[in-house]
């Protein structure tokens, strides 16, 4: 009986996802030393030696992780890229768990986890130290566990209906007498013009519905990401302030 229970645990959905996550981490451990230090890694390491609540182009967490890495593990390539490898494994695990929450069986969970495991974007980002590997984990945590998305072809006229929001199978929010709960806004879109069309629709929605004073369209000041180049890497008021008034 004990052997049967052990076998079931070793072949359970969570066990399979854990194996894939560990395999992902092992792959990164084997390969993350094949490329020398990336230039941004030096920047994060320097920020880790000057901890602050915020920096010009990043929040404080990545600098804190650089500080922890350097003082606990050292500053070798393997040490610096240890936590990004862990993040790669966590993304694989969380992906499988999200499929599980949506009702997918063991095969569906494994396929989703493998798809993320071999995706080039994750193989690249989780193979060096940057804020991006941590962002992915936090976003996956933010989107997992308490939401539901249903797409159905509703008869008799076969209209496509999409419903999104809190899930209805393991989520609850107790309210005290007199309390109320306003559900978050849900926004969805469709375009038959590919990613370009979807992107334009999203930008139009943001411009027309979300931005302040959207009822009176006008050219808005924009801080371009190319300020580093245009300002010749001198982040000073005289170099950056004129960029606010550039017209597209």
């Amino acid at each position: 009986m004990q052997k049967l229970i052990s076998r079931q645990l070793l072949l359970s959905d969570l066990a399979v996802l854990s194996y894939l996550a560990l395999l992902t981490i092992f792959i990164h451990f084997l390969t993350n030393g094949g490329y020398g230090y990336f230039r941004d890694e030096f920047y994060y390491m320097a920020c880790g030696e000057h901890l602050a609540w915020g920096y010009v182009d990043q929040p404080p967490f990545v600098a804190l992780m650089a500080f922890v890495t350097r003082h606990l593990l050292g500053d070798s390539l393997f040490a610096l890229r240890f936590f990004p490898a862990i993040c790669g494994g966590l993304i694989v695990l969380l992906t499988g768990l999200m499929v599980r929450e949506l009702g997918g069986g063991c095969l569906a969970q494994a396929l989703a986890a493998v798809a993320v495991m071999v995706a080039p974007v994750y193989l690249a980002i989780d193979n060096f130290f940057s804020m991006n590997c941590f962002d992915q984990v936090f976003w996956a945590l933010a989107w997992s566990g308490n939401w539901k998305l249903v797409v159905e072809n509703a008869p008799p006229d076969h209209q496509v209906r999409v419903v999104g929001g809190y899930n209805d199978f393991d989520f609850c929010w107790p309210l005290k007498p007199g309390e109320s709960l306003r559900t978050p806004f849900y926004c969805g879109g469709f375009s038959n013009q590919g990613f370009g069309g979807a992107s334009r629709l999203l930008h139009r929605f943001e411009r027309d519905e979300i931005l302040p004073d959207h009822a009176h369209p006008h050219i808005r000041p924009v801080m371009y990401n190319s300020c580093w180049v245009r300002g010749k890497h001198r982040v000073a008021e005289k170099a950056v302030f004129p960029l606010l008034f550039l017209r597209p």
Side-chain angles (χ1 to χ4, degrees), residues 137-154:
V137 173
F138 287 130
W139 276 111
L141 288 172
W143 278 99
S144 62
N146 65 347
W147 64 283
K148 183 177 182 179
L149 181 65
V150 178
V151 181
E152 59 181 353
N153 188 356

Side-chain angles (χ1 to χ4, degrees), residues 223 227 230-232 234-245:
M223 173 65 76
C227 68
R230 296 178 65 90
K232 297 182 180 179
R234 295 192 302 270
V235 186
E237 181 179 354
K238 292 182 179 180
V240 176
F241 190 74
L243 299 178
L244 294 173
F245 302 98

Side-chain angles (χ1 to χ4, degrees), residues 55-236:
Y55 302 86
V56 173
D57 56 350
Q58 65 193 20
F61 185 79
V62 66
L64 177 62
M65 291 305 301
F67 175 87
V68 171
T69 298
R70 196 166 190 180
H71 286 78
L72 289 183
L73 304 176
D75 53 9
S76 66
L77 279 176
F78 179 84
L80 186 61
R81 295 168 181 175
F82 177 84
F83 287 111
I86 300 299
C87 289
L90 288 175
I91 285 291
V92 171
L93 177 62
L94 289 172
T95 300
L97 292 178
M98 279 191 276
V99 174
R100 182 181 181 182
E101 288 286 332
L102 294 173
C106 184
L107 179 59
Q109 297 172 40
L111 285 175
V114 170
V116 171
M117 183 175 69
V118 301
V121 61
Y122 295 112
L123 288 175
I125 289 178
D126 295 326
N127 212 45
F128 65 94
F129 188 90
S130 73
M131 68 184 79
N132 299 315
C133 60
F134 303 109
D135 286 346
Q136 293 169 350
V137 173
F138 287 130
W139 276 111
L141 288 172
W143 278 99
S144 62
N146 65 347
W147 64 283
K148 183 177 182 179
L149 181 65
V150 178
V151 181
E152 59 181 353
N153 188 356
D157 49 1
H158 298 288
Q159 289 184 339
V160 177
R161 298 178 182 177
V162 182
V163 180
Y166 293 138
N167 73 57
D168 55 0
F169 49 87
D170 66 353
F171 177 79
C172 66
W173 190 289
L175 296 176
K176 297 179 180 180
E179 286 185 334
S180 61
L181 173 65
R182 182 175 180 178
T183 60
F185 288 103
Y186 173 75
C187 173
F190 170 79
S191 173
N192 59 359
Q193 300 177 0
F195 288 114
S199 177
R200 287 187 291 272
L201 284 175
L202 178 60
H203 292 163
R204 187 185 308 164
F205 174 78
E206 293 173 343
R207 183 181 64 247
D208 297 342
E209 302 294 337
I210 297 179
L211 288 177
D213 197 24
H214 57 77
H216 303 87
H218 59 279
I219 296 178
R220 302 174 184 272
V222 175
M223 173 65 76
Y224 287 90
N225 192 38
S226 58
C227 68
W228 298 97
V229 178
R230 296 178 65 90
K232 297 182 180 179
H233 299 275
R234 295 192 302 270
V235 186

Side-chain angles (χ1 to χ4, degrees), residues 8-50:
Q8 290 177 344
L9 289 175
L10 291 174
L11 298 178
S12 64
D13 297 356
L14 182 58
V16 172
L17 294 178
S18 300
Y19 301 151
L20 292 174
L22 291 174
L23 177 60
T24 302
I25 295 173
F26 182 68
I27 291 173
H28 283 296
F29 282 168
L30 288 179
T31 60
N32 62 11
Y35 180 84
Y37 290 97
F38 181 48
R39 59 183 183 182
D40 287 1
E41 291 177 312
F42 291 115
Y43 172 51
Y44 299 130
M45 292 168 65
C47 291
E49 296 301 316
H50 303 276

